[in-house]
Amino acid sequence: AAGPFTLTAPLVGTFFSRPSPDDEPFVSPGETVSVGDTVGIIEAMKVLNEIKAERAGRLVRVLVEDGTPVEYGQALFVFEPA
């Protein structure tokens, strides 16, 4: 069986785990996502880029804090296969 897998940043920018500061995060540990679900946003040059789940899975851990800069290829989330 496949083990845990990570979702990495597709671009450089500022990571946001929620649509706005008053909203709940897109996904929280223990929740399951489907392919194509929005799991976060990376803002780059004033453009908000939705980060979509590439595989279905259950979120184990969020590796980056809301509002922090991320690098291309940086691991953002750890999922277990659903």
Side-chain angles (χ1 to χ4, degrees):
F5 59 95
T6 58
L7 181 63
T8 60
L11 72 166
V12 174
T14 303
F15 171 79
F16 295 101
S17 62
R18 55 191 77 212
S20 79
D22 297 330
D23 289 321
E24 291 294 310
F26 288 107
V27 60
S28 298
E31 294 179 352
T32 301
V33 299
S34 301
V35 174
D37 284 357
T38 299
V39 295
I41 290 172
I42 294 178
E43 181 185 349
M45 298 178 289
K46 304 290 182 204
V47 177
L48 297 177
N49 301 276
E50 289 190 350
I51 309 307
K52 307 278 191 187
E54 296 164 354
R55 293 167 60 183
R58 188 177 70 81
L59 182 60
V60 178
R61 205 160 69 236
V62 181
L63 302 175
V64 288
E65 301 249 340
D66 190 53
T68 57
V70 294
E71 297 292 325
Y72 172 78
Q74 181 175 341
L76 303 176
F77 301 95
V78 179
F79 290 96
E80 290 174 343

